Amino acid sequence: MRPRLLLAAVGVVVSGAAMGQSKSAPAPASSNGAMGALTRLDTLHYSSAHGLRRGPDGQWIGKATRGGIEKSVTVTPQGAVVAR
C-alpha cells in the first residue's frame, strides 16, 4: 500500500512543478507586428489603443487609455512601454 501512496505523491509533485513552468514571457512586440504591440499594451492594462503606427526605428507609437486617462504610448521592439 505504501508504494502506491508514494507514487501518487510523486505524481502530484511532478505535475505541480510542470504546471508552474508552463507560463512563458510574452513575445517582444516587434515579433508580432501591431498585434504584438496591442497585446503588450493589454498585458499592462491599457485599453482603447488606437492610431498605432510603426516608426523607422521599429517602435510602435499611438494612443491608449490607462486609469481613465488617454496617453501617448511607445512600445519598443523589446516590449517596453513608455507613456507620456
Side-chain angles (χ1 to χ4, degrees), residues 50-55 59-63:
H50 61 278
L52 283 176
R53 62 193 182 284
R54 188 170 189 175
Q59 297 187 72
W60 289 92
I61 303 159
K63 298 214 180 259

Side-chain angles (χ1 to χ4, degrees), residues 22-62:
S22 64
K23 290 185 179 181
S24 62
S30 63
S31 67
N32 295 323
M35 285 303 296
L38 287 171
T39 300
R40 184 67 181 141
L41 289 169
D42 187 52
T43 300
L44 296 174
H45 305 287
Y46 284 90
S47 62
S48 304
H50 61 278
L52 283 176
R53 62 193 182 284
R54 188 170 189 175
D57 54 0
Q59 297 187 72
W60 289 92
I61 303 159

